[in-house]
Amino acid sequence: MRPVDERILETMRDEGNLTPQAVENFDVCSRGHASIRLSELAEYGLVERIAQGLYRLTDTGRAFLDEELDADELEATTKTS
């Protein structure tokens, strides 16, 4: 987890489903950086991709924000090619 990740998750909790461009529009970080971070957050189950470039906060992401889950407890899902 990086400091910007929590800001992205908080923005998603407050604003709903977001694209990387929307993350940039909310002055969290650049669109390119948001795209990278959202992909990483999806690997850990904190957000899920619901359409190309569109992400939503998961129950795991909400638990993290509510301090019910520590980032050290998260495991990346294995990608298959």
Side-chain angles (χ1 to χ4, degrees):
M1 292 287 294
R2 299 197 177 155
V4 72
D5 294 344
E6 192 164 346
R7 291 184 56 215
I8 291 171
L9 295 173
E10 289 170 346
T11 303
M12 294 183 86
R13 179 181 56 195
D14 296 343
E15 304 296 336
N17 303 339
L18 296 176
T19 63
Q21 181 63 56
V23 172
E24 180 178 76
N25 293 347
F26 285 111
D27 293 323
V28 175
C29 62
S30 71
R31 179 183 57 81
H33 191 62
S35 180
I36 292 166
R37 298 314 307 153
L38 285 165
S39 291
E40 179 92 3
L41 293 169
E43 281 188 46
Y44 285 89
L46 296 166
V47 301
E48 68 179 328
R49 183 176 161 206
I50 55 175
Q52 184 173 348
L54 182 62
Y55 295 83
R56 76 171 150 216
L57 189 63
T58 63
D59 290 339
T60 302
R62 283 183 187 79
F64 172 78
L65 289 173
D66 292 340
E67 298 181 2
E68 297 170 356
L69 178 66
D70 189 275
D72 293 335
E73 298 175 36
L74 299 172
E75 293 184 21
T77 57
T78 304
K79 289 185 175 182
T80 56
S81 300

